[in-house]
Amino acid sequence: MATAAVFSSLRKRRLISLEVFLAPVGLSDVALIHIIASISGEIVSSFSHKSLFFQRKNSRSLVRRIEVFMVLLEYLRESRSTLPPAAVLCFNELHLLLHRSKMLLDYCSQTGKLWLLIQNKSISGHFHDLNQDICTLLDVLPIKDIELSEDIREQIELLQRQSRRNSLFIDKHDEALRVQLFSFLDEFEKGQTPSPTVLETFFIKNLRIQDAKSCMVEIESLEEQVLNHNGELDPAIPVINGFIALLRYCRFLLYSHSNEDIVDHGASKNPRKRKTKDLTAHENAIPKDFYCPISLDLMQDPVITSTGQTYDRTSILRWIQEGHITCPKTGQVLAHSKLVPNRALRNLMDQWCFTHGIPYGPPESVDSSPEFLVAATPLRATLEANRATSALLVQNLRDGSHGAKSVVVREIRLLAKIGKENRAFIAEAGAIPYLKELLSSTNPITQENSVTAMLNLSIYEKNKSMIMEETDCLKSIVEVLKSGHTTNARENAAATLFSLSAVHDYKIRVADEEGSLEALSGLLRGGTSRGKKDAVMALYNLSTHTDNCTKMIKSGAVAVLVGALGDEAVAEEAAGTLSLIVRHPLGTEVVAGDDSAVAGLIGMMRSGTPQGKENAVAALLELCRSGGTAAVERNIKAPALAGLLQILLFTGTKRARRKAASLARVFRRSDNRPFHLGGLGQGYALTANSGVSRSSGLSSNVSMSTSIHTPVL
C-alpha cells in the first residue's frame, strides 16, 4: 500500500527512481497506447461506481478525467494512428500520472477512516497536484497533430478548459469532522473527558464505526502509520498516539465485547493486521541488549553508569532521582551519578535497526535537545485518555461477563506493555485483585493474558508492593508457574517472580511460597530457552539473599543449576548463581560433592562467554575458600585447570584476572601439592592479586548479564 510519505515526496519533488521504474521503455506507439488504456480502464472499472468515505468529490473528479482519457486511448488503440514524437512523450507522462492516480485512489479506499480524516487537507492537496499535472499535460498535448474524431476532440478540449479552472477543494463536512476529532484531544489535554453522547455520535453515526472489531482496525491503521513513518509524519507521533489512546477509550466505552472478538482478532485476514503481527514478531527478535533493564523498552539514549552497566538515560535518571544509590542490575553502590554515552552500543543499534527496517534514530545529543524531548514526551491528552481507559477497563473487568473479561484482560495486557504511566494507571484503578482472580481461569488464553498483564504491571516499581500485598496473589502466580495451561503462561509467571524478587524485602517471601523453588527448578530443567532464562534469573535473584540458600539447596535447585552449566543459553547465569550458593557451608558441601559441578565450571572457563568465565572462576574460588583443604585438593587435581587459569590471567576481563590470581594463590598455599602456571611466575600471580578485596555485598561479586523480559503482546 502506498503511504502518505510517498505522496508527500511526490508533492515536493519528482521521484526519478519512480519515473524510471514506471515509464515504459522501447515500446511501439500501439503497445504504449494499449498499456495506458489498460491502466485507465482498470482505474475506471474499480472506482467509477465506488463512493469513498472521504475525498468523495475529489476522487469522482479524478476518475471522470481518467474516463475522458480512456475514451481517447480506446479511439487511438482502435485507429492504430501514428503518434508524433511530442505526443509519445505526453503519453509517457500520462502513464506515470495514471499510476500516481491509482496509488492515491487505492490509498483512500484501503486506509483507515481516522487516518484519512487526520490527513484530510494533505490528501486534498495530493488530488489537487494530480489535477494540476493533468492540466499541464493537456496544455502540451499536441491535439491538432493527432488524428481524432470531432467528438473526441471536443471532449479533450472541454477537459482542458475544466482543468484550467481547477482549484484546491477541501470538503467542508470532512474538515468539520477533522476539527471535531482534534477537539477531543484538546478536552483530554485540559483534563476533561469528552461526552460519551458526543463520542457516540461522532464515531458511530458520523464515521460509521459500528463495532469493536472495526474500531480495532482503525487503531491498527494508526499504529501502522507510526511504525512505518520515515521522519516526515505529520502530525507528530505523540499526537497520533493521542488519537490511538482516544480510540482505545472509545472501543470500550461505545462497543460491547465477547469471546468472538478474540477469535476474530486473532484470525484476522486484514493485511494491516498481518503486517502488524509480522512487525511484532520482528520486535521479539531484537537483541535483548538493546532493551533498557529498567523500563524494558528499546533504549533511545544508552548510557553507562559507574558500575559499567548500560541503561536508557531517562530511566536511570529517574531511578537516581527517586533516591536510589545502587545499580539496578548488580546492586553495587554507584560511586557517582555521572553518565557516559554508550556510543558503541548506540551505533550497533543504529546499524541493526537500519538493516532490519525498524524506525530508530534519536538525536545524538538527545539529553540536550528540546525538540527531541518534546517529541518523545507523551501528550497530556494521551495520558489522560489512557487513564480514562484504564478506569473503564477495570470497571469492565469487575462487572463484565466472562467473555467480556477475556477481551478486557487482553487489552490491559497490551496497555500495560506501553509506558510506566499506563502501568501506574491500571494498578491505581484497582486491576490487580481482578487479574489475580483470572489467574485461575480455565480458559488458557485468559490465564495467559492475565499473568502477562501481571508481569507487565510488575515492571513499574510501585506496583510490586501492590502485587505482593494482594492476598494470595503471589500464591496464584506460583500456581500458574507450576501448572499453567500454556507454556507462555508458565514462562511469564517465572518472569513475574524474577521481577518481584528484584526487591530485596520480597526475596524471602517468594522463596517461602510453597512450590516456588521447585517450580522454577523444573522450568530450568525442562523449559524452552526463554523459560530457562526466566527461571535461572529468578533463582539468581533469590540466591542473593543469604537466608534463601538453604531453601534452594533443600529444594534441589543446586543439582538443576549444575546441570544447566552444560546449556549454553543459561550457563553464565547458572554459574553466577552457584558462586553465591557455595558461600553457604551447606552449598559448599553439596556442590563439592558433585563431580559434574567442578567439571561444568571448568568447561565454562574453557569455552564460556567472558562473563561466564568470570562467574565460573569466581564459583571455583568460593568453593575452595569455603570448602577448605578437601575442596582445594579436589580442584587442584582437575586436568587443564592450571592452563585455563594462565589463559584467564592473560586474556580474561579485569575481574576474571583477579579471581584467577586469587585461586592460583589458594592453590600455591596448599601444603599438599605445588601448583605451577606453566611459565608464569608466582610474582605475576601475586601482583595480579595484590589488589583483590572481598566485598561484603553478595551481588557485587557476581557478574551477570541480566535477562531482559520484554512485555509480550
Side-chain angles (χ1 to χ4, degrees):
M1 182 192 301
T3 65
V6 171
F7 298 123
S8 297
S9 299
L10 287 171
R11 292 192 73 192
K12 292 177 182 177
R13 62 188 183 279
R14 174 63 54 84
L15 289 181
I16 297 177
S17 59
L18 180 63
E19 188 170 1
V20 170
F21 177 74
L22 294 176
V25 178
L27 296 178
S28 65
D29 295 354
V30 174
L32 175 63
I33 294 299
H34 179 80
I35 290 175
I36 302 175
S38 298
I39 298 172
S40 61
E42 181 184 351
I43 294 174
V44 171
S45 64
S46 298
F47 295 100
S48 61
H49 301 294
K50 179 184 290 187
S51 179
L52 301 182
F53 196 84
F54 292 117
Q55 301 294 337
R56 286 181 293 273
K57 183 174 180 179
N58 281 327
S59 62
R60 284 198 298 266
S61 175
L62 179 60
V63 172
R64 281 197 298 268
R65 284 170 168 78
I66 295 174
E67 286 176 340
V68 175
F69 279 117
M70 187 178 71
V71 172
L72 168 65
L73 294 166
E74 287 294 338
Y75 177 85
L76 293 175
R77 182 162 63 176
E78 293 176 1
S79 65
R80 295 180 174 270
S81 303
T82 301
L83 299 176
V88 173
L89 290 175
C90 289
F91 283 120
N92 273 296
E93 180 68 18
L94 178 60
H95 181 268
L96 178 61
L97 289 175
L98 289 175
H99 272 289
R100 286 174 55 194
S101 300
K102 187 176 186 302
M103 288 170 63
L104 183 54
L105 291 168
D106 283 340
Y107 182 78
C108 291
S109 66
Q110 297 173 13
T111 304
K113 295 176 181 177
L114 260 291
W115 181 247
L116 291 176
L117 188 58
I118 292 169
Q119 296 291 320
N120 186 50
K121 285 186 175 181
S122 176
I123 295 175
S124 297
H126 297 317
F127 278 103
H128 178 63
D129 290 347
L130 271 172
N131 287 327
Q132 289 291 95
D133 290 343
I134 289 173
C135 178
T136 302
L137 174 66
L138 290 170
D139 284 342
V140 299
L141 181 66
I143 295 294
K144 295 179 180 179
D145 299 335
I146 304 174
E147 296 180 7
L148 298 174
S149 64
E150 192 63 31
D151 61 327
I152 299 293
R153 192 179 303 277
E154 289 178 358
Q155 289 186 57
I156 297 298
E157 291 173 351
L158 176 61
L159 181 59
Q160 281 180 322
R161 292 193 295 272
Q162 291 175 342
S163 298
R164 288 167 186 159
R165 296 196 299 268
N166 176 65
S167 61
L168 174 65
F169 174 77
I170 299 175
D171 190 285
K172 293 181 179 179
H173 177 262
D174 294 351
E175 185 61 16
L177 289 177
R178 190 186 73 86
V179 172
Q180 186 177 13
L181 178 62
F182 275 86
S183 73
F184 295 143
L185 279 195
D186 290 338
E187 287 189 63
F188 275 120
E189 193 74 21
K190 297 172 183 176
Q192 303 169 356
T193 303
S195 164
T197 304
V198 175
L199 290 173
E200 181 178 5
T201 301
F202 182 83
F203 285 99
I204 296 178
K205 181 179 178 181
N206 293 337
L207 297 189
R208 299 177 191 170
I209 301 174
Q210 302 292 347
D211 51 42
K213 189 160 61 173
S214 300
C215 187
M216 194 64 211
V217 170
E218 294 296 326
I219 293 173
E220 290 166 5
S221 176
L222 293 182
E223 289 175 337
E224 183 184 9
Q225 300 301 330
V226 174
L227 286 170
N228 295 342
H229 81 96
N230 66 348
E232 299 182 359
L233 205 55
D234 182 28
I237 289 177
V239 178
I240 299 175
N241 286 334
F243 289 123
I244 292 173
L246 170 64
L247 276 172
R248 283 202 187 100
Y249 173 66
C250 291
R251 182 183 172 212
F252 285 89
L253 175 70
L254 304 177
Y255 308 107
S256 61
H257 303 272
S258 67
N259 269 328
E260 293 180 0
D261 291 297
I262 293 181
V263 176
D264 293 342
H265 189 61
S268 173
K269 296 182 180 179
N270 187 334
R272 285 191 296 271
K273 177 60 183 172
R274 289 200 305 271
K275 187 169 185 179
T276 303
K277 282 188 172 181
D278 292 341
L279 289 168
T280 300
H282 197 77
E283 178 181 318
N284 291 337
I286 295 175
K288 293 182 177 181
D289 289 341
F290 293 177
Y291 289 99
C292 174
I294 299 175
S295 67
L296 302 189
D297 293 327
L298 193 66
M299 286 189 282
Q300 299 298 308
D301 183 21
V303 293
I304 304 172
T305 64
S306 63
T307 59
Q309 303 299 326
T310 297
Y311 303 94
D312 198 22
R313 182 184 295 273
T314 55
S315 298
I316 190 62
L317 283 176
R318 187 181 301 114
W319 171 270
I320 294 172
Q321 290 166 0
E322 289 175 353
H324 298 285
I325 60 172
T326 57
C327 174
K329 283 178 69 173
T330 67
Q332 291 176 272
V333 175
L334 295 171
H336 52 75
S337 59
K338 183 178 179 180
L339 303 174
V340 179
N342 190 338
R343 288 187 169 85
L345 178 61
R346 166 64 195 284
N347 290 336
L348 284 175
M349 295 175 70
D350 282 338
Q351 294 170 12
W352 194 93
C353 291
F354 176 79
T355 301
H356 292 81
I358 295 177
Y360 179 78
E364 187 66 32
S365 56
V366 62
D367 53 315
S368 59
S369 171
E371 294 80 10
F372 176 77
L373 291 177
V374 171
T377 304
L379 296 177
R380 184 187 176 189
T382 304
L383 298 180
E384 292 300 326
N386 284 336
R387 187 196 300 274
T389 303
S390 299
L392 194 58
L393 288 170
V394 173
Q395 179 182 336
N396 281 297
L397 201 59
R398 181 190 65 211
D399 302 330
S401 64
H402 180 74
K405 289 180 180 180
S406 297
V407 179
V408 170
V409 72
R410 179 184 181 278
E411 191 68 19
I412 289 177
R413 167 187 180 174
L414 295 176
L415 191 59
K417 179 182 182 290
I418 309 168
K420 67 181 183 67
E421 294 87 359
N422 293 344
R423 295 164 192 147
F425 295 154
I426 294 168
E428 290 168 1
I432 291 173
Y434 304 110
L435 290 174
K436 179 199 71 174
E437 296 300 324
L438 292 177
L439 291 174
S440 58
S441 172
T442 57
N443 184 321
I445 297 177
T446 301
Q447 184 189 63
E448 182 180 326
N449 283 333
S450 60
V451 73
T452 308
M454 198 74 78
L455 165 62
N456 293 345
L457 291 177
S458 73
I459 295 168
Y460 185 51
E461 198 70 20
K462 294 181 180 179
N463 288 347
K464 287 180 169 64
S465 60
M466 299 177 71
I467 293 172
M468 294 297 290
E469 291 167 7
E470 177 62 31
T471 305
D472 291 335
C473 191
L474 179 59
K475 179 180 178 181
S476 298
I477 295 170
V478 173
E479 286 299 320
V480 176
L481 172 62
K482 292 194 293 186
S483 55
H485 299 309
T486 67
T487 300
N488 280 341
R490 294 190 293 274
E491 291 176 349
N492 289 343
T496 306
L497 294 185
F498 166 57
S499 176
L500 295 173
S501 61
V503 178
H504 185 75
D505 293 342
Y506 299 153
K507 298 180 192 294
I508 291 288
R509 290 181 58 185
V510 172
D512 282 343
E513 190 61 45
E514 183 179 358
S516 61
L517 295 175
E518 290 81 0
L520 287 170
S521 300
L523 187 60
L524 177 57
R525 183 190 301 110
T528 65
S529 295
R530 175 175 168 257
K532 290 180 179 181
K533 198 82 167 180
D534 292 330
V536 75
M537 289 310 305
L539 290 171
Y540 167 74
N541 264 1
L542 297 175
S543 69
T544 59
H545 199 300
T546 53
D547 293 345
N548 283 338
C549 290
T550 302
K551 303 168 191 173
M552 295 180 67
I553 295 165
K554 291 180 178 179
S555 71
V558 173
V560 179
L561 288 165
V562 169
L565 293 173
D567 188 334
E568 183 180 349
V570 292
E572 178 183 309
E573 292 84 358
T577 308
L578 286 173
S579 68
L580 296 176
I581 291 176
V582 295
R583 295 176 181 178
H584 192 283
L586 184 57
T588 301
E589 181 182 340
V590 173
V591 175
D594 189 339
D595 292 336
S596 62
V598 174
L601 292 171
I602 292 176
M604 281 203 65
M605 290 176 61
R606 180 182 296 109
S607 58
T609 63
Q611 287 185 333
K613 292 176 180 179
E614 286 183 17
N615 293 340
V617 72
L620 288 173
L621 176 60
E622 292 299 333
L623 188 61
C624 291
R625 281 175 170 171
S626 303
T629 303
V632 173
E633 275 298 305
R634 178 186 290 268
N635 289 323
I636 206 171
K637 295 176 183 177
L641 181 56
L644 292 172
L645 286 177
Q646 181 177 359
I647 292 172
L648 275 184
L649 284 168
F650 277 114
T651 64
T653 64
K654 182 177 179 180
R655 177 177 174 273
R657 293 198 300 270
R658 290 202 313 267
K659 295 296 181 181
S662 297
L663 184 56
R665 190 167 70 173
V666 169
F667 287 154
R668 289 180 188 280
R669 289 178 176 175
S670 172
D671 294 333
N672 299 315
R673 179 184 295 268
F675 186 74
H676 302 285
L677 292 177
L680 202 62
Q682 180 178 0
Y684 179 89
L686 292 176
T687 301
N689 188 46
S690 60
V692 174
S693 61
R694 297 191 65 185
S695 169
S696 59
L698 284 175
S699 58
S700 60
N701 268 342
V702 180
S703 178
M704 296 291 288
S705 177
T706 305
S707 176
I708 305 301
H709 299 283
T710 309
V712 186
L713 277 177

